[in-house]
Amino acid sequence: MGGVGKWLRYRLVKVIFKKCGKNVTVERRVQFGSGRGITIGDNSGLGVNAVVPNNIQIGRDVMMGPDCYFLSVNHKFDSTDIPMWKQGYTLPQHPTIIEDNVWIGRQVTATPGRHISSGTVIGACCLLCKDFPQNSIVGGNPSKLIRSRVDESNG
């Protein structure tokens, strides 16, 4: 089904998503809830088995590897006299934002409300739990800055 399946998924999300750019790729088994709050820019894609929240904003030219998971809420755990599973969930404070020209490697997990700045590369299997400046190379569990993509000696 390959090309036909991609074409069909693209045609469907153009109707479902709040905004869907040109040349968007939605791979197999992507989960996105209702999709009504999702925006995705030109030449961007959702990888195989990706799970994205309904409030995600994805810019242009974003590559996403397979099995990426963007959390939308966390469990509450403030009370020690009530089992955690009975305390409910936190409400999303901020949308997840992925700016332009970002590469997200395979099996990245992002905590709720992350802001991924333009030009950033996120290494495979990273637990993205904080935000980083533009043009960062990020990896690890927990996430840490590996280096900048910009040569600082060039100003």
Side-chain angles (χ1 to χ4, degrees):
M1 189 159 167
V4 173
K6 284 185 181 185
W7 176 85
L8 184 58
R9 286 188 295 275
Y10 174 64
R11 298 304 299 171
L12 290 170
V13 298
K14 279 195 71 76
V15 174
I16 296 169
F17 288 178
K18 182 176 181 180
K19 177 185 172 275
C20 183
K22 298 175 185 167
N23 194 36
V24 167
T25 302
V26 178
E27 295 290 353
R28 300 178 319 276
R29 297 184 302 273
V30 171
Q31 297 178 41
F32 50 76
S34 74
R36 291 187 204 120
I38 295 174
T39 64
I40 187 167
D42 297 344
N43 307 309
S44 292
L46 298 173
V48 173
N49 295 323
V51 178
V52 297
N54 196 46
N55 66 346
I56 195 167
Q57 299 169 18
I58 301 171
R60 296 181 322 269
D61 304 308
V62 173
M63 298 184 296
M64 184 183 297
D67 302 312
C68 291
Y69 198 105
F70 293 84
L71 296 161
S72 59
V73 296
N74 280 319
H75 286 280
K76 289 183 181 177
F77 55 88
D78 297 330
S79 180
T80 56
D81 59 335
I82 300 171
M84 287 180 270
W85 68 272
K86 289 185 177 181
Q87 294 184 44
Y89 300 95
T90 60
L91 295 175
Q93 299 297 310
H94 304 285
T96 297
I97 298 172
I98 304 171
E99 293 183 355
D100 299 338
N101 190 31
V102 169
W103 178 16
I104 302 168
R106 121 182 261 118
Q107 294 177 329
V108 168
T109 299
T111 57
R114 293 285 51 89
H115 187 132
I116 303 172
S117 297
S118 64
T120 296
V121 176
I122 310 221
C125 301
C126 178
L127 174 58
L128 189 64
C129 53
K130 58 185 177 177
D131 301 338
F132 294 90
Q134 288 184 341
N135 298 305
S136 292
I137 299 175
V138 177
N141 180 359
S143 53
K144 66 179 182 179
L145 178 65
I146 295 171
R147 70 176 177 85
S148 174
R149 294 179 58 221
V150 178
D151 181 2
E152 293 166 13
S153 64
N154 289 336

